[in-house]
Amino acid sequence: MGWCRSVCYKGKFSKKYIWRYENKPAAKPGVTLTDINTVTNADFKSAIQWAAGEGITTGYPDGSFRPNAGCTRAHVVTFIYRDMT
């Protein structure tokens, strides 16, 4: 059995772990990701916008976040490291 029982998605990880751990802070205004409007869950959207505003995630060079993309170990470690520093 691997480190995760199922596929971990970036949007879900941002909300379920990092954003909740930080007590659901508000997103900074002006954060734009090209695909943020594809996120239908309000909590996921807030978590992603907050993480982007804090520099925990920077998205991809094309300006997207790809919330439904699988989360690799590298993504998880990077998100946690950036949140802690």
Side-chain angles (χ1 to χ4, degrees):
M1 182 69 57
W3 69 284
C4 188
R5 292 184 181 175
S6 64
V7 175
C8 179
Y9 296 99
K10 288 174 38 179
K12 187 174 184 179
F13 183 82
S14 296
K15 174 195 175 258
K16 194 169 186 179
Y17 301 103
I18 304 288
W19 189 62
R20 282 186 182 170
Y21 175 78
E22 294 292 346
N23 295 314
K24 301 179 181 180
K28 292 180 180 177
V31 175
T32 57
L33 295 166
T34 59
D35 57 352
I36 195 67
N37 290 326
T38 64
V39 179
T40 56
N41 182 301
D43 280 351
F44 282 8
K45 192 172 187 176
S46 294
I48 293 165
Q49 289 176 313
W50 168 79
E54 294 297 316
I56 293 169
T57 184
T58 57
Y60 290 89
D62 66 357
S64 66
F65 176 70
R66 303 176 192 166
N68 297 319
C71 208
T72 66
R73 288 181 188 185
H75 287 129
V76 171
V77 170
T78 301
F79 291 163
I80 293 170
Y81 174 79
R82 288 180 181 166
D83 183 47
M84 295 176 70
T85 58

